[in-house]
Every structure is written in structure tokens, then in C-alpha cells.
Amino acid sequence: MLLSLLAGFYGRALPVFPAEGSNLHYRIIGFSFPSSVSNGPHVVEIAAGFCTTEEAFNHNKILSRTTTTDRITAEVPAFGATYTWRYKSTAADGKEVKSKWFHFKTAYLPCIDTNLTKLRILTATGTYGDAFVFSDHNSVLYSTDGQPVWFLPEFDNFKGNTDVTRDIKMTTQGTITLLRGTKALEISYDGKILWHGPDGGEVSGATTERYHHEFTRLRNGHYMVMGTEMVPCNITGLGDRMPEIAGVGQLPLPGSKIEALPFTTILEYDAAGKLVWHWKMSDFYRMTDIYKKVLIDPMYRDLHENSFCFDAGKGALYISLRNTSQVLKIAYPSGEVIAVHDGKVYGLFCYQHAVRVAADGSVYLFNNNDCLQQTPGVTMFREPYLSGSLPVPIARYELPAALLVKGIGAANEARPGGNAVELLGGVMFSSMCEPFANMFIMGQDQSLLWHAYLAQKDTATGQWKPVCQYRASIITNRAALENMIWKGRK
């Protein structure tokens, strides 16, 4: 049983929580209570089951801890269970004061049932033993020892919704952002929707912005998300060259037809949902002759922009173009493209995902490395100082081929997904996608600090099979998780 204390510097008193009848979608719980009955220490007690008598409560007690604050974080052992708790303290006259019984449940959904889906640990970790991993395949938060501790609740307007969850992660402000289908949501740990993308088509010119791939809350409190603009383009009959964007009312060029193709937009909103900045890939495309003249595979009609990273210190935005194996560097806020890092030309990466900027200013990304069906992993490089110079490779993080685990429905081509998150001291967290299901934490010296994959049970055969996901993310320690719990109560 894990339990930790939180310093009482929050100022505002919190209500009793979990309140009577609460139904929680997590096992790590922030208990709070009024502390006016005494200035001394308080005791929080938790028992398994629905208890109504002192005898039953004491018999089933699973936790008793003392705190000098009006809140405490504790972990209960199971989902789909009922618990009873109370708080007590000693009044100024020396008498013990006990609260009434409070009863709550931990909810159940099949996604957290370890008889159906589980995080299989191949290499256990000591250094990151108190870390947690978000799996977007089933929208569950796991401890690094493989135990589910939180799952995405069914929101009122999403009940029964089968849309895919993508890019679920903790923000620097202690909230959670995610994409649910084409909806961009920010929620608290308790599951309250705090913000959602306006999605009115202000930039796309349609009825929706078609949010996709990545949604991030910036350090300044703004929100940045990828959207989609459908742009009319001239398509040649043979389909052997990049299309040309058609002018308004333009008739098809000889031997071609006009077809609407997807181009990514980047949208920045303030906390009130007002659009404060945007950028259109179609504007860059119009100005770049290479996309109009070079004969390439028809798959490149869709550039497949799949991630971005905003670096306020550099005043730059990086965007990954998967299908052309390029990373664009865009000056912010001017929107000027100031660099195009071509992974194939440089021999650094191809069909990449999750472009990021490291603490030292280097660029890194998840390199699907699909050009020659080579081993995927994380590639880090330093941008050139002089125009015309080449990027300098710094580090690679790759699992040995023998450790790669293929997932259900694994494909042999067009590897999608993958994530990379820099941790302290040159350590990297990464998750893979088709055809591989691995997640790992690795040192810059290639030491494997943690290794796992998500597995589902085949109900027909009873066999456990690895499953792929789009992008897992990490909360590096329990203190960060607890900070998220209490920030969500403010």
C-alpha cells in the first residue's frame, strides 16, 4: 500500500473528498477534509467494503496514516470495489473527534481488467519505479510495475463513444490533454472537462477543424493543435507527380482532375478559446517548387503531418512531415519556413513521428526508419549553425532486434505512430507502433532501464497477444502525479 503526504501550502480549504457515494475512475486518491476541529495531527483511515459499524470498519481496515495537513494521497488496492473511510483528530479539550463514515467505489471498465489487457514488464526498473505510463490504446495510466491506476472516464457527451484516443499526456500545468476522435480536450485528474477546442472551422473553412495527431498545452497557458484544411488540387491522370493547388474556380488542367486533398493547419488558442495564431501547410506548399516538379510516389499527395513541437526559447515551431521524411522549422510568429531538415537526404531518419526539442536545443524524434525496413528508434541531431551545412547526429536509442515484439495486425510497411520523451541525464522514454508494440526507457549508453508492452487476451484461444498503440507518454515520478491530483481540485 502506497501513501504519501503533501505539504499544506495550498491555502484554500478543500471539501470532504471522496464524498459519500463517489464513483472514482482511479486508485490513487486525494483525500481531503476540514481541519477546523483541531490544530493537531489528523488520522485518515480506510477500510475495504461498505462498513457501517466500528467493529466492521476496524476488522476491514487497510490503511491508517497521520497527517498534519487537511489532505493526503493514498492508494487503494483494486478497481470495481467499495471502500469506507473517515478522518479523526484530537480537539483542544483532548477528546477524539471522528467524522461520519464516507463510502465510495472505484469504477470498472474492461480496459483496466488485467484478465483482459495488461502491461507486460520485460525489464523492470529501479530508477523509474515510481513513474507512470499513459497507454492511448486503451486510455489507461499504468505504474511501471504494470498496474493500472487510472482510466479515462466516460464523459456525459462521450458515453458509448468508440472514437480512438490519441496523444493523452500530462501537461506542465498538471492537467491532462488528449484527442478523442477529432475533439481536443483538456481534463483534470478527476475527469472534469476544463477546456475543449472550439472546432468551428475558422481556419479550415469547413464546419470543423478536423483536429488530429497532436494537441498540446503550452507553458504560457495557450493551446496548440493540428487541424486539417481540404484544398482543391489538380491531380494528373497518371498520379505520378505532386498535385498543384488549384485557384478559385479554376478548371482542371489538361489530363488532370480537381480533387480536395488534406493539408495540415496549426492552430493556437488562448484559454478563452480565441484563435490567436495559425499556420497553413498549403501556404508553404504553394511557394515550394519541389512539390510541383519532382516525380514521386502518389502516396506523397498526403504529406501526412503527424506531430509538432513549439519551442518558445527559439521562437520556432517544428513540424514533422512523415511521407516526405522531412521536418520543417518555422519562425514564430511570422510563419516563415526557415529550415527543411530532410531525413532521407541526410541519412538520419525517415517516416518519422513525434518531433521534439531537447533541453540542450537539439532536435530528436521517433524514427520509424521504414525506408529500408530497418530497426526503428529515437534519433537525436544538432541543427547546422550555417546555411547549407548538414545536421550533426548526436545519439540513437534502439532496442536490439531480438527484443522487438510484434503486435496484433502488425504491418510490414508504412509504420505509423511512435513517441519519444527526453528524461533527465540523456535518458529517453519511447513507445513504438506497428508493427512493434514495445515501450522502453533507455540511457544514452544504450542501457535498458525499463521495457514493456501492452498485451490483450484472445478470448477464443486464451492466448496473450501484443497490441500496438499510437503514442504512449510518461509521468516521470509519483510527486508529479500527486501534484496533478491536487491542482485539479483548485
Side-chain angles (χ1 to χ4, degrees):
M1 182 65 59
L2 298 173
L3 183 145
S4 59
L5 302 179
L6 197 69
F9 56 79
Y10 292 89
R12 184 175 64 84
L14 294 173
V16 170
F17 190 90
E20 179 65 25
S22 295
N23 191 28
L24 310 179
H25 56 279
Y26 45 83
R27 295 192 298 109
I28 300 179
I29 304 165
F31 291 82
S32 62
F33 47 88
S35 58
S36 58
V37 293
S38 81
N39 294 321
H42 311 281
V43 178
V44 171
E45 299 176 315
I46 307 171
F50 192 96
C51 303
T52 57
T53 67
E54 194 75 24
E55 180 181 7
F57 185 83
N58 288 330
H59 178 74
N60 293 293
K61 191 183 299 183
I62 58 175
L63 182 69
S64 179
R65 293 293 188 273
T66 300
T67 172
T68 57
T69 73
D70 59 356
R71 63 200 74 187
I72 197 169
T73 306
E75 182 175 331
V76 295
F79 282 107
T82 299
Y83 298 92
T84 304
W85 80 283
R86 71 178 176 191
Y87 59 93
K88 61 184 183 180
S89 57
T90 303
D93 60 5
K95 294 182 179 180
E96 186 177 58
V97 180
K98 297 178 182 179
S99 73
K100 66 178 184 178
W101 311 114
F102 297 98
H103 306 92
F104 67 92
K105 295 180 179 179
T106 50
Y108 168 87
L109 283 180
C111 64
I112 49 87
D113 192 332
T114 53
N115 293 311
L116 301 174
T117 305
K118 61 184 177 182
L119 186 64
R120 304 197 73 164
I121 309 301
L122 301 178
T123 300
T125 180
T127 307
Y128 291 93
D130 65 343
F132 301 87
V133 174
F134 273 118
S135 163
D136 65 3
H137 175 82
N138 55 343
S139 306
V140 172
L141 182 68
Y142 290 92
S143 59
T144 48
D145 63 356
Q147 298 304 308
V149 299
W150 181 100
F151 64 87
L152 186 67
E154 290 190 314
F155 305 113
D156 288 341
N157 58 336
F158 279 92
K159 288 189 181 299
N161 186 289
T162 58
D163 285 339
V164 173
T165 298
R166 280 190 169 186
D167 195 30
I168 182 168
K169 58 182 181 282
M170 188 180 75
T171 71
T172 55
Q173 292 84 354
T175 59
I176 299 168
T177 52
L178 63 123
L179 292 168
R180 182 76 169 195
T182 60
K183 304 296 183 183
L185 301 173
E186 179 187 31
I187 64 173
S188 68
Y189 181 84
D190 289 329
K192 179 183 178 182
I193 296 179
L194 305 174
W195 191 91
H196 60 85
D199 198 26
E202 186 176 354
V203 175
S204 71
T207 58
T208 174
E209 298 291 359
R210 298 185 187 91
Y211 300 134
H212 66 93
H213 279 91
E214 183 145 356
F215 170 47
T216 297
R217 188 174 181 186
L218 307 179
R219 291 185 179 275
N220 65 0
H222 287 189
Y223 302 85
M224 193 169 280
V225 62
M226 285 181 142
T228 303
E229 175 194 23
M230 300 303 294
V231 181
C233 295
N234 280 293
I235 307 295
T236 63
L238 295 176
D240 61 353
R241 58 176 286 157
M242 287 300 293
E244 293 191 16
I245 292 178
V248 177
Q250 178 181 324
L251 295 175
L253 297 174
S256 71
K257 63 179 180 178
I258 290 183
E259 180 180 326
L261 298 181
F263 289 83
T264 278
T265 58
I266 305 292
L267 307 100
E268 180 184 355
Y269 299 99
D270 65 15
K274 179 183 177 182
L275 183 71
V276 296
W277 183 85
H278 72 276
W279 185 86
K280 290 185 176 184
M281 179 63 71
S282 61
D283 291 339
F284 170 64
Y285 189 97
R286 292 174 198 272
M287 297 183 295
T288 309
D289 290 339
I290 186 172
Y291 292 121
K292 298 179 180 179
K293 296 179 178 178
V294 177
L295 300 182
I296 53 178
D297 192 290
M299 72 174 290
Y300 294 137
R301 287 180 179 177
D302 178 3
L303 304 178
H304 199 96
E305 305 91 330
N306 57 30
S307 65
F308 67 84
C309 178
F310 177 66
D311 189 306
K314 291 184 179 181
L317 181 73
Y318 295 81
I319 301 177
S320 165
L321 280 60
R322 180 200 180 278
N323 283 357
T324 55
S325 299
Q326 293 173 319
V327 170
L328 304 186
K329 183 179 182 180
I330 301 166
Y332 178 92
S334 73
E336 177 189 1
V337 176
I338 53 179
V340 178
H341 300 307
D342 196 310
K344 285 186 180 179
V345 172
Y346 300 158
L348 280 177
F349 57 85
C350 64
Y351 300 161
Q352 73 288 340
H353 280 72
V355 62
R356 301 287 180 257
V357 176
D360 67 357
S362 303
V363 177
Y364 66 96
L365 44 79
F366 183 78
N367 179 12
N368 273 295
N369 214 2
D370 201 22
C371 306
L372 301 174
Q373 290 293 297
Q374 294 176 343
T375 304
V378 180
T379 297
M380 180 178 287
F381 62 91
R382 183 176 296 113
E383 295 182 273
Y385 293 108
L386 300 175
S387 178
S389 301
L390 296 179
V392 178
I394 298 175
R396 293 180 67 87
Y397 301 80
E398 293 180 2
L399 284 172
L403 297 182
L404 295 176
V405 176
K406 285 199 171 184
I408 295 174
N412 291 321
E413 296 181 358
R415 300 169 184 167
N419 197 19
V421 181
E422 183 192 32
L423 308 182
L424 295 176
V427 174
M428 190 70 66
F429 167 82
S430 181
S431 72
M432 302 168 129
C433 196
E434 287 189 13
F436 305 111
N438 304 71
M439 290 177 275
F440 63 85
I441 300 175
M442 184 178 288
Q444 202 166 27
D445 60 357
Q446 304 298 296
S447 56
L448 189 57
L449 305 179
W450 181 77
H451 184 200
Y453 67 89
L454 198 66
Q456 285 185 333
K457 192 173 187 178
D458 187 321
T459 54
T461 64
Q463 294 182 333
W464 287 93
K465 298 183 178 180
V467 292
C468 299
Q469 58 183 311
Y470 173 68
R471 183 185 292 172
S473 66
I474 187 170
I475 299 175
T476 54
N477 55 64
R478 189 182 178 93
L481 178 71
E482 294 190 8
N483 181 57
M484 177 168 63
I485 292 173
W486 296 112
K487 279 195 171 183
R489 299 281 177 82
K490 286 188 174 182

